């Protein structure tokens, strides 16, 4: 029997547990919000099976709870999230983001339950943030995370903290279904996921992180050993169909040779074991903030290193007003690079993503195709800016563009929001993709540029 039967069941059980425990606690704070979301896609769907409806409505709710026992040393924190989507059945999901029991002593803190942790210093791409699984259904950029079962012990000393983790259960990455937008060019069959470890998703992972502050410098060292959060994929299909071009033999480019198309193609995730060493740096000097992250990750099929470095410059008040404008510049480098167009794997992926048909001599490449994990930020620059109006409505915005210095691919993003009265907030997010070549990982979303509008009512 699984530790949890389904995300919806987990969320329901966690809510019931809170209702039972809350009356016994000395101080209890409930919070949360109900959100109506509209996603509008600019272009027609790119991949077979995807819905071509440009507008997608969904309803989401989040419930937050914080309670303390009379001793004040013990506390319980919970966050439960759920969404119902009108088009993508996979995006109708629920998750226990946090359900954590915490003991806080003078020098020692113990946590047990489900947690959300954030490691990192760079604004846009978080290389070292490895504990929680990315929630792709909410955000394919990895900014949203699933709750992670964890037990941890942390010790605070004069200039920092050392924390040790045991992670007894692995959360698989969830993907949109075959009809959903913002999915890989071949649907992912997550139900058939495989693991390098014989223990599967019950493999116990371990992690450690030491964070130190010395005057204006913050830095951290981290280590992780366990199941890799990002899978590689086996390409599988039920059979091969034969088709002819249907052209006239009088045409110069016409061929009487048949072509072959895979039937029911799918990607099966494979989760390998890995080790990762990470470092984070953040240095503040008046209006300047310098930050960097670096990781070295080792696994059986693929080992690599990656770095990210950037700076922020606060221009201060704009035009003698209360507005604050911050300029952002970051650079990312990943040793995995890009797939070679002339390699067998690169040629097979290019063919699948373009027309999906193969010649007879290409079929062995199709049968042996594996898709390793590749970062879209293998040699990229991010330019952007953050604006805060510092008004009573907490109006703020972030805008920027990623530019791949090798392939020329570009991804622009805009995020902003403001309060409407005391209990309402309006949020806008827009993402667009430009000039993306076929072997760039962002090619999956080439025609999925979208605008997302969210209206949240807090209670």
């Amino acid at each position: 029997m699984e530790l949890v039967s389904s995300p919806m069941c987990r969320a329901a059980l966690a809510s019931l547990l809170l209702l039972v425990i809350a009356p016994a606690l000395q101080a209890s704070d409930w919070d949360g919000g109900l959100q109506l979301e509209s996603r509008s896609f600019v272009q027609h769907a790119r991949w077979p099976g995807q819905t071509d409806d440009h507008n997608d409505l969904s309803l989401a709710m989040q419930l937050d709870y914080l309670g303390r026992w009379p001793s004040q040393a013990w506390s319980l924190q919970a966050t439960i999230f759920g969404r119902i989507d009108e088009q993508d059945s996979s995006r109708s999901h629920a998750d226990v983001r946090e359900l954590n029991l915490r003991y806080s002593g003078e020098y020692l803190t113990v946590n047990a339950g489900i947690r959300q942790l954030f490691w990192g210093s760079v604004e846009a791409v978080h290389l070292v943030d490895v504990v929680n699984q990315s929630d792709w259904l909410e955000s394919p950029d990895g900014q949203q995370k699933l709750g992670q079962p964890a037990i941890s012990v942390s010790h605070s000393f004069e200039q920092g903290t050392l924390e040790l983790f045991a992670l007894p259960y692995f959360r698989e990455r969830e993907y949109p279904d075959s009809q959903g937008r913002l999915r890989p060019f071949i649907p992912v069959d997550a139900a058939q996921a495989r693991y390098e470890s014989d223990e599967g998703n019950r493999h116990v992972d371990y992690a450690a992180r030491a964070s130190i502050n010395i005057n204006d410098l913050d830095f951290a060292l981290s280590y992780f050993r366990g199941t890799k959060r990002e899978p590689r994929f086996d390409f599988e299909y039920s059979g091969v169909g034969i088709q002819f071009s249907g052209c006239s033999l009088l045409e110069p480019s016409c061929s009487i040779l048949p072509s072959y198309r895979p039937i029911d193609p799918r990607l099966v995730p494979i989760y390998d074991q890995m080790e990762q060493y990470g470092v984070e740096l953040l240095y503040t000097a008046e209006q300047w903030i310098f930050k960097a992250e670096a990781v070295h990750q080792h696994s059986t099929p693929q080992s690599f290193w990656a770095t990210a470095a950037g700076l922020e410059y606060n221009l201060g008040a704009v035009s003698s007003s209360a507005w604050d404008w911050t300029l952002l510049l970051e650079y990312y480098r990943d040793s995995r690079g890009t797939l070679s167009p002339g390699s067998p794997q690169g040629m097979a992926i290019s063919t699948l993503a373009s027309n999906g048909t193969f010649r007879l001599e290409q079929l062995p490449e199709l049968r042996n195709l594996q898709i390793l994990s590749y970062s879209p930020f293998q040699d990229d620059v991010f330019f952007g800016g953050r604006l805060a109006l510092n008004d009573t409505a907490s109006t703020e915005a972030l805008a920027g563009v990623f530019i791949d210095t090798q392939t020329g691919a570009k991804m622009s993003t805009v995020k902003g929001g403001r309060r409407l009265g005391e209990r309402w907030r309006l949020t806008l997010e827009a993402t667009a993709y430009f000039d993306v070549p076929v072997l760039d990982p962002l090619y999956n979303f080439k025609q999925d540029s979208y605008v997302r509008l969210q209206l949240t009512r807090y209670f």
Side-chain angles (χ1 to χ4, degrees):
M1 183 177 179
E2 287 291 325
L3 178 67
V4 284
S5 57
S6 71
M8 293 290 186
C9 184
R10 286 196 301 267
L13 290 174
S15 302
L16 181 61
L17 179 63
L18 288 179
L19 293 175
V20 172
I21 294 178
L25 302 185
Q26 184 183 47
S28 298
D29 294 323
W30 295 87
D31 201 355
L34 187 66
Q35 180 188 95
L36 178 65
E37 177 187 280
S38 171
R39 286 195 310 176
S40 299
F41 292 92
V42 179
Q43 297 171 286
H44 292 287
R46 172 70 176 87
W47 309 119
Q50 284 183 316
T51 178
D52 208 24
D53 195 334
H54 289 262
N55 298 306
D56 180 16
L57 292 175
S58 65
L59 187 66
M61 185 176 73
Q62 180 167 306
L63 179 66
D64 300 307
Y65 173 80
L66 177 62
R68 293 186 180 276
W69 272 265
S71 68
Q72 297 296 312
W74 292 87
S75 63
L76 179 68
Q77 183 176 1
T79 299
I80 301 170
F81 174 83
R83 180 180 299 279
I84 299 175
D85 191 282
E86 68 166 345
Q87 292 184 4
D88 188 345
S89 59
S90 295
R91 200 165 180 256
S92 295
H93 68 296
D95 184 50
V96 181
R97 302 297 204 204
E98 296 211 30
L99 185 59
N100 182 58
L101 181 64
R102 181 184 183 95
Y103 169 77
S104 301
E106 185 175 0
Y107 299 105
L108 199 68
T109 301
V110 181
N111 291 277
I114 299 173
R115 297 182 64 189
Q116 277 197 329
L117 302 169
F118 172 75
W119 297 354
S121 60
V122 177
E123 174 72 34
V125 179
H126 310 301
L127 302 176
V128 301
D129 197 19
V130 71
V131 172
N132 291 83
Q133 177 64 272
S134 297
D135 187 348
W136 262 45
L137 299 178
E138 285 299 310
S139 179
D141 61 5
Q143 299 294 331
Q144 298 291 332
K145 301 288 185 176
L146 299 175
Q148 171 62 48
I151 301 171
S152 69
V153 178
S154 63
H155 171 66
S156 299
F157 48 93
E158 184 177 355
Q159 291 183 309
T161 303
L162 173 64
E163 192 165 12
L164 306 177
F165 300 86
L167 312 171
Y169 185 81
F170 174 72
R171 302 290 308 278
E172 293 179 2
R173 184 169 293 188
E174 300 174 344
Y175 295 90
D177 62 23
S178 59
Q179 295 181 336
R181 303 293 291 262
L182 292 166
R183 70 159 172 84
F185 67 97
I186 300 172
V188 177
D189 188 357
Q192 304 301 319
R194 300 195 291 267
Y195 294 83
E196 179 184 351
S197 170
D198 294 336
E199 297 171 325
N201 59 4
R202 295 178 184 274
H203 183 274
V204 180
D205 302 339
Y206 298 97
R209 184 173 186 263
S211 56
I212 300 172
N213 173 259
I214 302 175
N215 297 324
D216 296 325
L217 174 66
D218 294 305
F219 71 93
L221 301 174
S222 59
Y223 172 77
F224 176 91
R225 181 173 184 172
T227 306
K228 190 174 182 179
R229 272 44 185 166
E230 184 180 13
R232 59 186 170 97
F233 298 95
D234 260 351
F235 176 71
E236 296 185 358
Y237 49 94
S238 302
V240 176
I242 302 176
Q243 66 182 52
F244 294 87
S245 63
C247 60
S248 171
L249 294 178
L250 298 178
E251 298 178 23
S253 60
C254 185
S255 172
I256 60 173
L257 297 177
S259 57
Y260 301 84
R261 180 182 296 273
I263 299 173
D264 187 26
R266 57 197 178 274
L267 298 177
V268 175
I270 302 175
Y271 294 95
D272 297 300
Q273 293 293 294
M274 68 124 176
E275 278 189 297
Q276 176 175 297
Y277 300 87
V279 60
E280 309 157 50
L281 296 171
L282 190 147
Y283 178 72
T284 304
E286 296 181 350
Q287 293 175 286
W288 292 91
I289 298 178
F290 301 90
K291 45 196 177 179
E293 298 179 26
V295 297
H296 180 269
Q297 190 179 114
H298 172 72
S299 62
T300 301
Q302 188 179 37
S303 296
F304 68 94
W305 57 263
T307 60
L311 56 85
E312 296 185 12
Y313 180 72
N314 192 329
L315 294 173
V318 179
S319 303
S320 301
S321 69
W323 295 10
D324 279 333
W325 177 260
T326 302
L327 299 179
L328 307 171
L329 173 63
E330 295 179 354
Y331 174 72
Y332 318 102
R333 179 70 175 174
D334 193 306
S335 67
R336 288 174 290 184
T338 57
L339 275 171
S340 169
S343 68
Q345 184 187 27
M347 293 174 64
I349 292 176
S350 297
T351 304
L352 280 169
S354 55
N355 57 25
T357 60
F358 288 77
R359 299 188 304 272
L360 181 62
E361 64 271 19
Q362 293 178 305
L363 289 183
E365 299 170 5
L366 184 67
R367 285 194 294 269
N368 300 322
L369 178 61
Q370 276 199 352
I371 301 178
L372 300 178
S373 58
Y374 284 88
S375 170
F377 308 109
Q378 81 285 348
D379 190 1
D380 291 56
V381 178
F382 173 77
F383 302 94
R386 187 189 305 114
L387 177 64
L389 300 190
N390 296 320
D391 56 353
T392 57
S394 300
T395 307
E396 58 186 7
L398 171 69
V401 59
F402 296 86
I403 302 175
D404 190 312
T405 62
Q406 293 186 4
T407 68
K410 303 173 186 66
M411 181 180 75
S412 65
T413 179
V414 178
K415 299 179 181 180
R418 64 173 292 149
R419 288 206 316 268
L420 304 175
E422 294 185 358
R423 294 187 176 274
W424 295 85
R425 183 170 182 81
L426 184 65
T427 305
L428 174 69
E429 176 184 344
T431 300
Y433 307 94
F434 306 96
D435 305 324
V436 184
V438 67
L439 289 181
D440 192 295
L442 290 179
Y443 190 78
N444 289 296
F445 316 128
K446 181 179 181 180
Q447 292 183 203
D448 282 340
S449 300
Y450 67 93
V451 177
R452 177 158 59 184
L453 191 64
Q454 298 171 330
L455 181 63
T456 305
R457 170 63 161 85
Y458 295 99
F459 48 81

